[in-house]
Amino acid sequence: MQLNLKKNKASKQLLWIGIVSIVMFFGGLTSAYIVRKAEGGWLEFEMPVWFTISTIAIIVSSALLLFAAQNVKSGKSATTLLLGTLFLGILFSYSQIQGWGDLVAQGVYLTGEGSNASGSFIYAITLMHLLHLIGGLVALLITTVKSKQGNYSKDNYLGIQLASIYWHFLGILWLYLFLFFNYS
Amino acid sequence: MSEHHKETFLTKYIFSLDHKMIAKQFLITGMFMGVVGMLMSILFRLQLSNPGESFAVLEFFLGEKWAPGGVLDPNIYLALVTMHGTILIFWVLTAGLTGTFANFLIPLQIGARDMASAFMNMLSYWFFFAATIVLLCSLFVESGPAAAGWTIYPPLSALPQAIPGSGLGQDLWLIAITLFVVSSLLGGLNYIVTILNMRTKGMTMSRLPLTIWALLIVAILGVLSFPVLLSCALLLIFDRSFGTSFYLSDIIINGEALHNTGGSPILFEHLFWFLGHPEVYIILLPALGIVSEVISVNSRKPIFGYKAMVGALILIAFLSFVVWGHHMFITGMDPFLGSVFTFTTLLIAIPSAVKVFNYLATLWRANIRFTPAMLFAIGFVSTFITGGLTGIILGDSALDINVHDTYFVVGHFHIVMGLSAIYGMLAGVYHWFPKMYGRMMNKKLGYFHFWVTFISAYGVFFPMHFLGLAGLPRRYYTNSAFPMFDGLSDINEIITFFAIVGGLVQLLFIFNFFYSIFKGTKATENPWGSNTLEWTTPVERIHGNWPGEIPTVERWAYDYSKPGAEEDFVPQNVPLKEGETEH
Ligand code: HEM
Ligand SMILES: [Cu+2]
């Protein structure tokens, strides 16, 4: 038990430090955005509505996940709530792709003739966020299956905890990016 | 995990989970890359001292295509310089140095059976291995390896059609470095968590050996700065492969304008140097840690100013994030901003000087044992001072503008970073070899290796400062087209002579290393009379480090020549005597 606690703590720390390095990665990208924007020649455009839908989806998914974790802690099953989270995560991914479609329809391209760094940044940064999120979806999928198999209990739910930390982080990261794109 | 278990050849040497074996994998890969990188420098030095002359070695290594008639091709010159820098900075002195000593020393010195995640540790090596293979493959592509410098500035690196090395070679370079960063991150995460969580009973942070402090801070630096390199490389990959314009603008090739507008190569430099400068400390700090340990052990004295040493490490690490602009003084930077970067850069001199004074104070009136490890540690102090002084010149924007991109810079960074870190690494290998392989390295060869290395390394890099002051630019294939540089050719010949001598003597070291693994005299458990915990483990390597209980720690690591003790060292696991106070 003692050893287990130590191990749990170490796993969480690993995850947190990993998150710090992901923050630095996106910090690098968004500061590049700011520096490049300050140099002028910057195309302004509307953020796609689909990105607002993404935002709602990911906030609700985080809420569901919170309840799921609570359920496990009090010994109840979390499978349904986890499935809900997973579903919203997929909805998020779908809305991101739709959002890119919106951008293209507006004439904002990733690359080629007429493309501008302002648009390219949006594509590159959201794509990177989505790649990290796919990792989160895989983690959620695993926890959902394990929860279905009854692998978690009141005093053994590290997997759900880790997946939650990462998922909430992705949500907060998206929120930051969303506000950043809209207001910076 | 605590018991030693049966291992097959594959699990023992190849897919090993044992941190000690992984350390050796890093070391030997690093040494191999070191030979490759060094050989490249000798090849391009031949061209610099004897421009346009034919050499059989060039033709032997580079073939008819890249050295037609034995004369180095200009494009391949650039490629060799680029690969030389990349290999030495990342492969030898980042992965080779940290990978070896973090893996080897962290569990042993903090009293743990292995890393927090042995599996991640293994992955870290295998990502590094994959990166190595990709980088080496790039030496064999038709258009040659990457040639835009280790700093891969766009547009040279961003336009595949720019020069031969900008094509496939640059792609492979980027893939290799991405794998490399993944390896470093996996390693770094693991080191931090291991040090924070797995210390044995009694090993408080204030009793940690300075090696571990240095490795901890290096890991933190890596976790914070490598992701930024990745973001920098990501945008470059988009520009190269998908036609975006993050770094590119108004480019005309063969009279044809490219569509890219508005991109900024200066943006690249900001992102790159935000990693680039911490990277030089990622290289240097492990060496600082190793040298602290080796100097204290062989001076038979406690390290002078332990807390100041830790504080200086932390301060250096912190400052390293706010100085990147000193690489960009001539990019049209606002002079006020330039003076801010000058200020922060010069601040680093303070903690650096603290370290130097503490080393000197530890050596002062000590009963020094001049082992080969100790000589290299003292050599480190020497190069750290020499190179540090020219750093003050380069950190000052008004002075740097005159020597930027000349051989003055090449001389500076080779001495302060290249030589210092290599000396630290060699000191570490000589010092911990008995623990790694259970045998001793040959001392006489060690002395010979040190003195020839020390003299020829200064012989190579000291004169470069004069070349730089005379205006000789770096990264030039030849200087024979400029009459003003004609008088410098003698200096260039001397440099190449020393480079060859210095290179050859490393082969002697490698011979000593491998010979001693099999034929060296058998080591005892604690041959140097050292206090740290690794010397309480048995000579025979076992998975789990200690056969019985892990020792508990009762004191700091530096009780050398303590008044009242019977011997001139008291290992960390020896309880305090009645009435004895902790240092
Ligand atoms: C055998 C010893 C070495 C010799 C003779 C040597 C020589 C040189 C020379 C002459 C250059 C400049 C070429 C040019 O600018 O045209 C150079 C570049 C460089 N060297 Fe070394 N070097 C040696 C060891 C090292 C070490 C130990 C390091 C590790 C830090 C290192 C890192 C670099 C880097 C980063 C560059 C810059 C590459 C670039 O411009 O992209 N070298 N070396
Ligand atoms: Cu710097």
Side-chain angles (χ1 to χ4, degrees), chain B residues 228-449:
Chain B
V228 181
L229 175 66
L230 219 48
S231 65
C232 170
L234 177 80
L235 298 183
L236 184 65
I237 292 170
F238 268 85
D239 273 6
R240 283 178 65 73
S241 307
F242 308 134
T244 52
S245 323
F246 294 113
Y247 304 136
L248 293 172
S249 186
D250 307 313
I251 307 261
I252 295 170
I253 293 186
N254 294 336
E256 211 178 306
L258 300 188
H259 74 265
N260 307 81
T261 50
S264 157
I266 307 287
L267 173 62
F268 177 91
E269 293 194 24
H270 279 297
L271 285 173
F272 181 85
W273 285 111
F274 188 84
L275 158 95
H277 192 85
E279 170 64 21
V280 309
Y281 287 98
I282 290 174
I283 286 174
L284 194 71
L285 291 188
L288 283 167
I290 289 169
V291 165
S292 306
E293 183 66 24
V294 171
I295 284 191
S296 179
V297 172
N298 291 293
S299 299
R300 314 310 291 162
K301 274 174 70 182
I303 191 81
F304 186 90
Y306 173 85
K307 284 202 180 120
M309 290 302 240
V310 175
L313 283 175
I314 295 174
L315 202 61
I316 289 177
F318 172 75
L319 286 172
S320 74
F321 279 107
V322 291
V323 300
W324 79 90
H326 63 216
H327 298 275
M328 302 170 60
F329 285 139
I330 60 153
T331 56
M333 174 184 277
D334 178 346
F336 174 73
L337 189 59
S339 64
V340 173
F341 279 121
T342 294
F343 178 69
T344 52
T345 302
L346 296 190
L347 277 183
I348 294 197
I350 299 171
S352 307
V354 167
K355 301 217 78 106
V356 167
F357 281 118
N358 287 355
Y359 289 139
L360 296 180
T362 309
L363 291 167
W364 182 250
R365 297 197 162 178
N367 183 11
I368 298 178
R369 292 182 183 167
F370 288 103
T371 61
M374 183 62 162
L375 288 175
F376 274 105
I378 296 173
F380 171 98
V381 179
S382 163
T383 51
F384 193 52
I385 296 174
T386 322
L389 288 175
T390 51
I392 297 181
I393 296 172
L394 293 171
D396 187 329
S397 54
L399 299 175
D400 175 69
I401 287 170
N402 302 284
V403 287
H404 179 84
D405 259 350
T406 68
Y407 266 85
F408 192 87
V409 177
V410 179
H412 157 72
F413 76 71
H414 276 94
I415 290 183
V416 76
M417 166 180 74
L419 294 185
S420 300
I422 291 273
Y423 288 179
M425 186 166 171
L426 290 170
V429 172
Y430 278 110
H431 190 75
W432 278 287
F433 189 88
K435 197 81 294 176
M436 287 184 177
Y437 294 101
R439 290 174 187 268
M440 310 296 282
M441 283 181 80
N442 184 302
K443 239 183 173 172
K444 289 217 178 76
L445 287 182
Y447 290 135
F448 187 75
H449 172 220

Side-chain angles (χ1 to χ4, degrees), chain B residues 148-225:
Chain B
W150 81 276
T151 52
I152 54 160
Y153 281 1
L156 217 45
S157 59
L159 293 169
Q161 64 274 46
I163 52 173
S166 307
L168 185 55
Q170 190 69 51
D171 284 322
L172 292 174
W173 192 99
L174 285 163
I175 295 170
I177 214 76
T178 306
L179 293 168
F180 180 90
V181 170
V182 174
S183 154
S184 290
L185 288 174
L186 287 170
L189 286 172
N190 215 349
Y191 307 151
I192 298 173
V193 173
T194 306
I195 296 173
L196 294 182
N197 290 291
M198 317 268 290
R199 280 166 290 134
T200 181
K201 195 155 161 280
M203 182 61 93
T204 56
M205 292 304 272
S206 56
R207 283 177 180 165
L208 277 186
L210 286 169
T211 32
I212 304 298
W213 267 111
L215 291 167
L216 172 65
I217 292 167
V218 166
I220 295 174
L221 276 181
V223 163
L224 292 176
S225 63

Side-chain angles (χ1 to χ4, degrees), chain A residues 6 13 24 36 39 110-111, chain B residues 197 223-224 227 242 244 262 264:
Chain A
K6 216 170 165 177
Q13 249 177 28
M24 290 306 292
R36 172 60 192 82
E39 288 186 7
L110 166 67
T111 147
Chain B
N197 290 291
V223 163
L224 292 176
F242 308 134
T244 52
S264 157

Side-chain angles (χ1 to χ4, degrees), chain B residues 457-477:
Chain B
Y458 266 131
V460 170
F461 297 114
F462 205 79
M464 284 190 187
H465 295 94
F466 302 113
L467 296 179
L469 290 173
L472 196 72
R474 71 188 274 207
R475 290 180 177 164
Y476 272 34
Y477 168 65

Side-chain angles (χ1 to χ4, degrees), chain B residues 80-151:
Chain B
L80 286 179
V81 171
T82 302
M83 296 314 266
H84 161 79
T86 305
I87 288 176
L88 279 149
I89 295 243
F90 292 112
W91 265 257
V92 181
L93 293 178
T94 305
L97 178 57
T98 303
T100 303
F101 290 101
N103 277 306
F104 192 73
L105 293 179
I106 290 175
L108 283 173
Q109 288 199 333
I110 68 173
R113 300 226 182 256
D114 208 312
M115 287 284 179
S117 167
F119 178 70
M120 267 173 74
N121 216 19
M122 179 181 83
L123 272 190
S124 162
Y125 176 74
W126 284 101
F127 268 99
F128 174 57
F129 186 78
T132 309
I133 297 295
V134 174
L135 195 78
L136 289 177
C137 282
S138 83
L139 299 177
F140 297 96
V141 301
E142 212 240 328
S143 49
W150 81 276
T151 52

